[in-house]
Amino acid sequence: MASTIKDVAKMADVSISTVSRVINDSKPVSPEARRRVLHAIEVLNYKPNEVARSLVTKKSNLIGVIVEDIGSNFVSQILRGVEEVGRMYKYDILLSSSYGDMDTEVKFANLLAQKQVEGIIVISNLHNSKLEYKLEESKIPYVVISNFYEIEKFKANIDYEKASYEMVKNLIEKGHKNIASIAVRRDYDRTYEKQKVSGYDKAMTENGLETTELFVEDLNQESLEEVQEEILSEIKEKNITAIFTTFDTLAINVMNMLLDNNIKTPDDVSVTGFGGTTISEIYRPKLTTVKIPYYDIGAVSIRKILKSITDKETSFKKDVTLPAQIIECESVKTLND
Amino acid sequence: MASTIKDVAKMADVSISTVSRVINDSKPVSPEARRRVLHAIEVLNYKPNEVARSLVTKKSNLIGVIVEDIGSNFVSQILRGVEEVGRMYKYDILLSSSYGDMDTEVKFANLLAQKQVEGIIVISNLHNSKLEYKLEESKIPYVVISNFYEIEKFKANIDYEKASYEMVKNLIEKGHKNIASIAVRRDYDRTYEKQKVSGYDKAMTENGLETTELFVEDLNQESLEEVQEEILSEIKEKNITAIFTTFDTLAINVMNMLLDNNIKTPDDVSVTGFGGTTISEIYRPKLTTVKIPYYDIGAVSIRKILKSITDKETSFKKDVTLPAQIIECESVKTLND
DNA sequence: CTGTTAGCGCCTTCAC
DNA sequence: GTGAAGGCGCTAACAG
């Protein structure tokens, strides 16, 4: 059994109050008593029990995180930010992964509340209204990070339209005229996809260029295969020289598909991604992409929560727009016509 | 303020013991009393405070996980296993990331102990003996998952030598004769690298083939660049047709390097990886690799810990050898000579 | 079946 | 500067 404050008190021949005082440095203690206490702590290898402490102070120093899947790269990048900043303020991360199940998410929210977490961060694209309701009801400060802009009460994200606009403008400046976009159709109107395509549109029309908006139903490979023929024929017909895609993985899948059809990137067709996830750096050709500052999104989110905890006013919402960076790599060719 | 067991008791007009009994279903309660309690719980939206519960039961239902970096793919795969199995037994994950700092790891071990975690899983290649000492001293069941076989008190891993042997045999059966291996030199003698190369050796000598053992100092790209010339000249001189590498990322880097030197995979040289991480599926050509069952490693590790918790006997160690699977993909060519 | 009592380990008044 | 006492929210004997 680990030693308790009582053991220390006994050994140092003082009361437990005094021990508590030296541990927390809360009130003056005579040098002599402090010395004895410190010595006893050392000898007994005493470590205050955080559970007991939490019970009385009502501070768990825990932030609950509910993710859809720990596995995805961007999630771990966000987690990094959350973890590192949380750590700075002595907060620990209680992690739970829902694997895409809404009821599980709600269950976790309850569980986390019971564990007395002081804040909750949700990283999920499930658009779970029941979860939101629960969270709202629980009075625990929370932040949702997703692809759905409407679900994000507090927004710590980039300006998707602007970033897309810049990216497409960049392509145009490199001499591309016939540029297609490929976005995800699923929940298009409620996700940032809309903004991305809107940025593409803006850049194209602003330069008097014709838009070619293509869509895949979902982000997986099968969805791409479904529209493969359409994409290929559009490329031929309109003599497309560059494709603006709305996700890194989509870009990679597109490049793979093109390659399977003997169309090389960037020699034949340039391709851009969106996200700046690890894969964009490893794949060859290295992907020209928009780097979303996931770490910062996580960092800002937990900062917001910590602020809510100290200020006790969840209501005050002040969105944060993070800067996005365009990473120019090998997947885009400069046309010299 | 959230309602407590007292509030429920008052409202249901019973003692708190009775409330506790219905919550925990620990002892018989009259239907009438139960009904009233349940009703009060419903109305007050009462949720038992897990912190208070932990304090008295001495069960935190927490497993601490210390990782070197949440970001890496294999870590999240292991985490999946840990999380999902832990969840089945009502355990939550307390996550902390050390970002490669040994002292931080030790600090975390202390912190987790104070938070009364019932077990600790370390996923790190730091080979931190101070941490091990701390862990051993803490009497908390723990498991270390790393590339160092000597550090893994309890081993839940694949048979690296066998897997490598199979992979190289596979190459030989496909007609390759001049096969080189590229492994990581750093800490070679203490890591599984040794077993991997040993498996390669065995398969080669068994078939009367000459071995070509090449090394990079570390897993990063720079280390590869340092020995780039050596590798290239070996390929030419010995007419190497296949390369057995000991990590997926190493394989990818090698393929990229070869490509930069106009050597195509698999047409000119076949390349195999090791790990079966996500990247192996996304990269083109898709990587032929050894799939390490990371999820299972995580699952088995936490099972081991849970067992130690219930059985109270950490001493009994029984290693688990997981099956590895060879994933045959596009990066290997069958020679028809 | 049910209420009373005694803690779990710690912090925090409140007197001295 | 220090100790005694009360209590955080809950569980677990122990009587009844």
Side-chain angles (χ1 to χ4, degrees):
Chain A
M1 211 56 241
S3 48
T4 75
I5 198 172
K6 265 190 196 166
D7 304 324
V8 176
K10 202 173 293 170
M11 182 165 190
D13 199 30
V14 293
S15 74
I16 61 168
S17 328
T18 303
V19 177
S20 174
R21 276 162 200 145
V22 347
I23 300 171
N24 300 301
D25 217 10
S26 48
K27 282 198 173 177
V29 173
S30 74
E32 169 57 12
R34 154 165 282 120
R35 203 194 51 70
R36 289 213 309 274
V37 169
L38 256 21
H39 177 252
I41 287 177
E42 178 76 21
V43 174
L44 296 172
N45 190 25
Y46 168 73
K47 300 266 166 17
N49 180 326
E50 285 297 335
V51 171
R53 207 177 241 180
S54 292
L55 183 59
V56 39
T57 60
K58 297 185 174 315
K59 274 195 78 16
S60 66
N61 278 75
L62 246 36
I63 299 291
V65 178
I66 301 175
V67 303
E68 200 178 326
D69 185 0
I70 332 173
S72 52
N73 184 263
F74 85 99
V75 170
S76 28
Q77 288 187 52
I78 295 175
L79 270 181
R80 270 184 175 157
V82 171
E83 206 268 352
E84 208 161 355
V85 172
R87 186 72 57 201
M88 288 162 48
Y89 295 88
K90 306 212 174 306
Y91 276 84
D92 260 306
I93 301 305
L94 210 44
L95 184 67
S96 36
S97 187
S98 71
Y99 298 105
D101 188 71
M102 292 208 189
D103 292 337
T104 307
E105 285 191 344
V106 175
K107 216 186 64 195
F108 285 164
N110 277 324
L111 222 106
L112 292 175
Q114 289 189 223
K115 295 247 181 192
Q116 311 302 115
V117 299
E118 297 178 42
I120 293 180
I121 291 181
V122 180
I123 309 175
S124 160
N125 286 321
L126 289 188
H127 198 82
N128 191 341
S129 53
K130 217 191 287 179
L131 172 67
E132 273 194 279
Y133 174 76
K134 202 87 209 168
L135 252 21
E136 204 63 59
E137 180 197 58
S138 77
K139 296 286 165 210
I140 299 174
Y142 73 94
V143 167
V144 178
I145 301 173
S146 80
N147 283 332
F148 292 85
Y149 59 85
E150 54 177 12
I151 209 177
E152 297 188 345
K153 227 184 27 161
F154 163 75
K155 289 182 188 56
N157 223 323
I158 66 166
D159 182 336
Y160 285 93
E161 181 174 337
K162 187 175 162 224
S164 305
Y165 173 82
E166 298 290 349
M167 176 60 99
V168 176
K169 212 179 88 179
N170 187 280
L171 288 173
I172 295 172
E173 282 166 2
K174 285 199 165 28
H176 294 275
K177 287 187 167 39
N178 304 326
I179 307 169
S181 79
I182 305 183
V184 176
R185 167 105 61 199
R186 193 159 186 275
D187 297 314
Y188 178 74
D189 287 323
R190 301 144 71 205
T191 64
Y192 291 113
E193 289 300 277
K194 199 175 180 176
Q195 276 95 315
K196 294 181 195 166
V197 174
S198 157
Y200 158 80
D201 269 0
K202 201 173 148 201
M204 293 299 275
T205 51
E206 212 171 274
N207 287 277
L209 299 172
E210 190 194 344
T211 63
T212 306
E213 294 177 12
L214 301 172
F215 290 92
V216 291
E217 187 55 34
D218 221 327
L219 211 44
N220 53 50
Q221 209 157 329
E222 293 73 45
S223 297
L224 179 60
E225 280 162 16
E226 280 170 24
V227 291
Q228 178 168 345
E229 293 312 319
E230 186 190 344
I231 294 176
L232 289 172
S233 72
E234 285 279 357
I235 291 177
K236 273 198 190 122
E237 277 175 34
K238 301 199 178 172
N239 195 24
I240 297 292
T241 62
I243 301 177
F244 164 81
T245 76
T246 57
F247 283 97
D248 283 348
T249 49
L250 184 53
I252 304 269
N253 285 336
V254 166
M255 288 195 289
N256 287 340
M257 183 203 81
L258 293 178
L259 202 61
D260 291 344
N261 288 276
N262 276 316
I263 301 173
K264 292 209 180 64
T265 308
D267 295 339
D268 304 325
V269 172
S270 296
V271 176
T272 68
F274 210 111
T277 42
T278 328
I279 177 74
S280 69
E281 297 166 27
I282 300 174
Y283 194 90
R284 293 301 169 96
K286 283 184 190 163
L287 196 58
T288 289
T289 188
V290 176
K291 187 160 187 65
I292 301 177
Y294 288 114
Y295 179 98
D296 296 331
I297 291 180
V300 169
S301 298
I302 189 161
R303 278 229 167 76
K304 155 79 176 174
I305 284 184
L306 296 179
K307 196 164 159 47
S308 302
I309 293 173
T310 44
D311 294 5
K312 248 125 194 159
E313 43 146 321
T314 317
S315 54
F316 181 42
K317 78 171 207 177
K318 199 180 196 172
D319 292 349
V320 178
T321 301
L322 269 8
Q325 196 188 346
I326 290 180
I327 310 285
E328 295 195 42
C329 275
E330 312 159 353
S331 70
V332 170
K333 186 183 172 186
T334 303
L335 298 185
N336 42 353
D337 49 314
Chain B
M1 209 58 242
S3 48
T4 75
I5 198 172
K6 265 190 196 166
D7 303 323
V8 176
K10 202 174 293 171
M11 181 165 190
D13 200 29
V14 293
S15 74
I16 60 168
S17 330
T18 303
V19 177
S20 174
R21 275 163 200 144
V22 346
I23 301 172
N24 299 302
D25 217 10
S26 48
K27 283 197 173 177
V29 173
S30 75
E32 168 59 12
R34 156 165 280 121
R35 203 194 52 71
R36 289 212 309 275
V37 169
L38 255 21
H39 177 252
I41 287 178
E42 179 76 20
V43 173
L44 296 170
N45 188 25
Y46 168 74
K47 301 269 164 15
N49 181 326
E50 286 296 334
V51 172
R53 208 177 239 179
S54 292
L55 183 59
V56 40
T57 61
K58 296 184 175 321
K59 275 195 77 19
S60 66
N61 278 72
L62 247 36
I63 299 290
V65 178
I66 301 175
V67 304
E68 202 178 324
D69 185 0
I70 332 173
S72 52
N73 184 263
F74 85 99
V75 170
S76 28
Q77 288 188 53
I78 295 176
L79 271 182
R80 271 183 174 157
V82 171
E83 206 267 352
E84 208 161 354
V85 172
R87 187 73 56 202
M88 287 163 49
Y89 295 88
K90 306 211 174 306
Y91 276 85
D92 261 306
I93 301 305
L94 210 45
L95 183 68
S96 37
S97 187
S98 72
Y99 299 104
D101 187 72
M102 291 207 188
D103 292 337
T104 308
E105 285 192 343
V106 175
K107 215 185 64 194
F108 285 164
N110 278 324
L111 221 106
L112 292 174
Q114 288 189 226
K115 295 247 179 191
Q116 311 302 114
V117 299
E118 297 179 42
I120 294 180
I121 291 180
V122 180
I123 310 174
S124 160
N125 287 321
L126 289 187
H127 198 82
N128 191 342
S129 53
K130 218 192 284 180
L131 172 66
E132 274 194 278
Y133 175 77
K134 202 88 208 168
L135 253 21
E136 204 63 60
E137 179 197 60
S138 77
K139 296 289 166 208
I140 299 174
Y142 72 94
V143 167
V144 177
I145 302 172
S146 79
N147 284 331
F148 292 85
Y149 60 86
E150 53 176 13
I151 210 177
E152 297 188 346
K153 228 185 27 164
F154 162 75
K155 288 181 190 55
N157 223 323
I158 66 166
D159 182 336
Y160 285 93
E161 180 172 337
K162 188 174 161 225
S164 306
Y165 172 83
E166 298 290 350
M167 176 60 100
V168 176
K169 214 178 86 180
N170 187 280
L171 288 173
I172 295 172
E173 283 166 1
K174 285 199 164 28
H176 293 275
K177 288 186 165 44
N178 303 328
I179 307 170
S181 79
I182 305 184
V184 176
R185 167 104 60 198
R186 194 159 185 274
D187 297 313
Y188 177 74
D189 287 322
R190 301 143 72 206
T191 65
Y192 290 113
E193 288 301 276
K194 200 174 180 175
Q195 277 95 315
K196 295 181 196 165
V197 174
S198 158
Y200 158 81
D201 269 0
K202 203 174 147 199
M204 293 299 276
T205 51
E206 211 172 274
N207 287 276
L209 298 172
E210 189 194 347
T211 63
T212 306
E213 293 177 14
L214 301 172
F215 290 91
V216 292
E217 188 54 35
D218 222 326
L219 211 44
N220 53 49
Q221 209 157 328
E222 293 74 45
S223 298
L224 179 61
E225 280 163 18
E226 281 170 22
V227 292
Q228 177 169 345
E229 292 312 318
E230 186 189 345
I231 294 175
L232 289 172
S233 71
E234 285 279 357
I235 290 178
K236 272 197 191 121
E237 277 176 34
K238 301 197 177 171
N239 194 24
I240 298 291
T241 62
I243 301 177
F244 164 81
T245 76
T246 57
F247 284 96
D248 283 347
T249 48
L250 184 53
I252 303 270
N253 284 337
V254 166
M255 288 194 289
N256 287 341
M257 183 204 79
L258 293 179
L259 201 62
D260 290 343
N261 289 276
N262 276 316
I263 302 172
K264 292 208 179 66
T265 308
D267 296 339
D268 303 326
V269 172
S270 296
V271 175
T272 68
F274 210 110
T277 41
T278 327
I279 177 76
S280 69
E281 298 166 27
I282 299 173
Y283 195 89
R284 292 301 171 94
K286 284 183 189 162
L287 197 58
T288 289
T289 188
V290 175
K291 185 158 189 65
I292 301 177
Y294 288 114
Y295 178 97
D296 296 331
I297 291 180
V300 169
S301 297
I302 189 160
R303 278 229 166 75
K304 156 77 176 176
I305 284 184
L306 296 180
K307 196 164 160 46
S308 302
I309 293 173
T310 43
D311 295 5
K312 250 122 193 160
E313 41 147 324
T314 318
S315 55
F316 180 43
K317 76 170 208 176
K318 199 179 196 172
D319 291 349
V320 178
T321 301
L322 269 8
Q325 196 189 345
I326 291 180
I327 310 285
E328 295 195 42
C329 276
E330 312 159 353
S331 70
V332 170
K333 185 182 172 187
T334 304
L335 298 184
N336 41 352
D337 49 312

